[in-house]
Amino acid sequence: MSFLNLEGKRFLVMGVANRKSVAWGITKSLEAEGAEVIHSVRSEARLESLQKLLGDRRAYICDVEFPEQIASLAEQVAADFDGIDGIVHSIAFANYSEGFKPFHETVRKDFLQATSISAFSLVEVSNAFKSQLRDGASVVSIGISSTDVTAENYGYMAPIKAALETCSYNLAKSFSADSGVRFNTVNAG
């Protein structure tokens, strides 16, 4: 048993895209510590492309752009399991519909869509799974801290990932009123 005490715990990892994904690295680390990992991916096509990588691991489809799919995911996981010990939110999406532009030329609809998927989905997922998160569970979001540094090569995602980090802080505060769920962010240094 390791000092992390993850043996026999169950985690939902959201956002595996390929073997180079941060979410995949997290999956391997959790499993190495004895945890069970279940996955959520964006589409049937993504699931098919990951079939060899995921092997016999349990995987669900949930496009977090659509709140009804988040609710459905929570219902499916509740039907299959008696609770989870954590969620890893490693989801990011940006639609550069008019190509990569300087930040001040960002297209409103693209920015709002990316904010919904990459930041606000943390709030929706946390709410949908609140009753399934065991006491002491942890919800971890993966991002970059962009409040101090302007990452021009990251386009308009930098302020959106800053919003994700702020969502995590505020969820920690609001969830603490009636649960023992912890919220953390993992960001580049």
Side-chain angles (χ1 to χ4, degrees):
M1 180 189 225
S2 78
F3 76 96
L4 294 174
N5 195 26
L6 298 179
E7 183 88 25
K9 300 214 173 168
R10 181 179 302 117
F11 296 88
L12 171 63
V13 174
M14 305 179 79
V16 172
N18 55 50
R19 74 177 57 257
K20 294 180 181 179
S21 298
V22 171
W24 182 247
I26 292 169
T27 293
K28 298 306 287 177
S29 295
L30 288 169
E31 289 177 341
E33 295 297 322
E36 175 186 6
V37 179
I38 58 177
H39 291 90
S40 169
V41 298
R42 179 176 57 91
S43 66
E44 186 69 43
R46 178 58 48 93
L47 182 58
E48 288 174 20
S49 75
L50 292 171
Q51 201 58 56
K52 186 176 177 182
L53 184 66
L54 292 177
D56 61 356
R57 292 173 184 89
R58 183 65 152 248
Y60 302 88
I61 296 170
C62 176
D63 185 339
V64 298
E65 185 172 11
F66 305 100
E68 64 275 7
Q69 288 192 30
I70 296 170
S72 177
L73 173 64
E75 290 170 7
Q76 290 173 51
V77 171
D80 292 341
F81 300 100
D82 63 351
I84 58 177
D85 298 289
I87 298 172
V88 175
H89 181 284
S90 186
I91 299 170
F93 175 82
N95 178 11
Y96 295 99
S97 65
E98 296 180 8
F100 196 84
K101 296 180 171 200
F103 180 74
H104 68 277
E105 295 178 18
T106 299
V107 177
R108 178 186 180 92
K109 68 178 177 57
D110 292 350
F111 186 86
L112 294 177
Q113 179 188 33
T115 301
S116 174
I117 294 169
S118 304
F120 191 70
S121 64
L122 179 66
V123 177
E124 294 176 312
V125 167
S126 299
N127 279 328
F129 279 90
K130 187 172 184 183
S131 66
Q132 295 180 60
L133 290 165
R134 294 184 178 127
D135 194 47
S138 182
V139 177
V140 177
S141 58
I142 308 300
I144 63 168
S145 183
S146 302
T147 56
D148 297 327
V149 177
T150 303
E152 291 181 31
N153 63 337
Y154 205 38
Y156 63 77
M157 284 302 293
I160 292 170
K161 284 297 188 170
L164 173 66
E165 188 174 344
T166 301
C167 285
S168 182
Y169 299 157
N170 284 277
L171 283 165
K173 179 72 172 173
S174 64
F175 261 60
S176 70
D178 62 358
S179 82
V181 175
R182 294 168 292 124
F183 287 82
N184 298 284
T185 64
V186 176
N187 303 304

